[in-house]
Amino acid sequence: MSFSENLRAATSTTWHAATGHRFVDELWAGTVDDAVLARYLAQDALFLDRFVALLGAAVATADSTAARLAIARQLGLVASDEDDYFGRALGRLGATAPAEPLPPTQGFLDLMDDARRSGDYGVALTVLLVAEWLYLDWAARPDAAPPDRLHREWIDLHRGPGFTAWVDLLRAETDRVAATTDDVARERMGEVFRRTVDLELAFFDAAYGDR
């Protein structure tokens, strides 16, 4: 298996708990409670600024023109399509992004800041890979799309040929960088992968609060 496939296999229990989470099931079924969705999206919206900054760091540290351009194109999509969705969704749900992030959200913010400040392309790639690959995994279900446009749009933002190609690029780049670096750097990438997967599951759990 490739480096990225090995990391996914090593975190399979947590990975599958996230991609098969109650939130994902209810989103696909169109039964997710508005209060849960509002809590989830309001926290997710807090990621946008740091995620764009992390993409920018990956653009700056990429060691190939093709990868640099592909990441830059994705940065533009995140800054437009996803930002627009948050505004419309939170408006319909009567929610706003909170001033204080929940603990899993803060963990993600710290992780993205650490990856950006490291100046390490492999580390930045690894955080991006988990964040996008795990979402593609749950969004690519063959189930019928839910009737509510808000639910359907969030799914559609994380699937389709364009998003699949983006995840394929992140996987290929992560594998390439891992193959051309030393054991210490690969171990650092592996630790970041595991930490990111753990945070993904905790983030889904946090959408339900004390429920």
Side-chain angles (χ1 to χ4, degrees):
M1 292 192 291
S2 68
F3 179 75
S4 60
E5 288 170 333
N6 274 316
L7 290 178
R8 178 172 165 175
T11 58
S12 61
T13 299
T14 309
W15 185 286
H16 292 307
T19 58
H21 196 274
R22 172 187 174 188
F23 176 83
V24 176
D25 290 343
E26 291 178 356
L27 182 70
W28 270 102
T31 60
V32 63
D33 188 271
D34 277 357
V36 171
L37 184 60
R39 182 182 176 95
Y40 167 91
L41 290 177
Q43 290 292 312
D44 204 295
L46 295 176
F47 293 147
L48 189 62
D49 177 70
R50 310 292 179 85
F51 194 73
V52 167
L54 182 58
L55 285 166
V59 170
T61 55
D63 57 358
S64 81
T65 300
R68 196 187 307 277
L69 291 174
I71 297 168
R73 284 191 290 271
Q74 188 65 24
L75 191 161
L77 290 173
V78 171
S80 56
D81 293 352
E82 204 155 311
D83 184 48
D84 176 67
Y85 174 83
F86 281 129
R88 288 184 292 103
L90 293 175
R92 199 196 88 175
L93 294 167
T96 57
E100 294 296 326
L102 295 171
T105 307
Q106 187 61 58
F108 253 121
L109 295 174
D110 293 342
L111 176 64
M112 288 189 284
D113 279 345
D114 290 345
R116 174 176 54 81
R117 291 170 182 154
S118 74
D120 187 320
Y121 181 48
V123 168
L125 276 174
T126 304
V127 177
L128 293 170
L129 174 62
V130 175
E132 304 289 54
W133 192 8
L134 190 144
Y135 268 56
L136 174 64
D137 199 347
W138 69 253
R141 291 185 182 186
D143 304 12
D148 189 300
R149 182 179 176 183
L150 208 59
H151 302 168
R152 189 169 62 251
E153 278 192 70
W154 187 241
I155 293 169
D156 288 344
L157 280 169
H158 301 100
R159 64 175 178 172
F163 195 76
T164 300
W166 163 236
V167 173
D168 287 345
L169 171 85
L170 290 174
R171 289 181 61 188
E173 280 292 284
T174 301
D175 292 339
R176 180 184 66 80
V177 170
T180 57
T181 193
D182 58 32
D183 290 343
V184 172
R186 280 191 290 273
E187 179 55 37
R188 185 163 58 244
M189 291 168 70
E191 176 55 36
V192 168
F193 192 101
R194 291 186 288 273
R195 182 180 170 195
T196 311
V197 175
D198 287 344
L199 285 168
E200 288 286 4
L201 177 57
F203 187 79
F204 282 129
D205 287 341
Y208 290 87
D210 297 328
R211 290 172 182 239

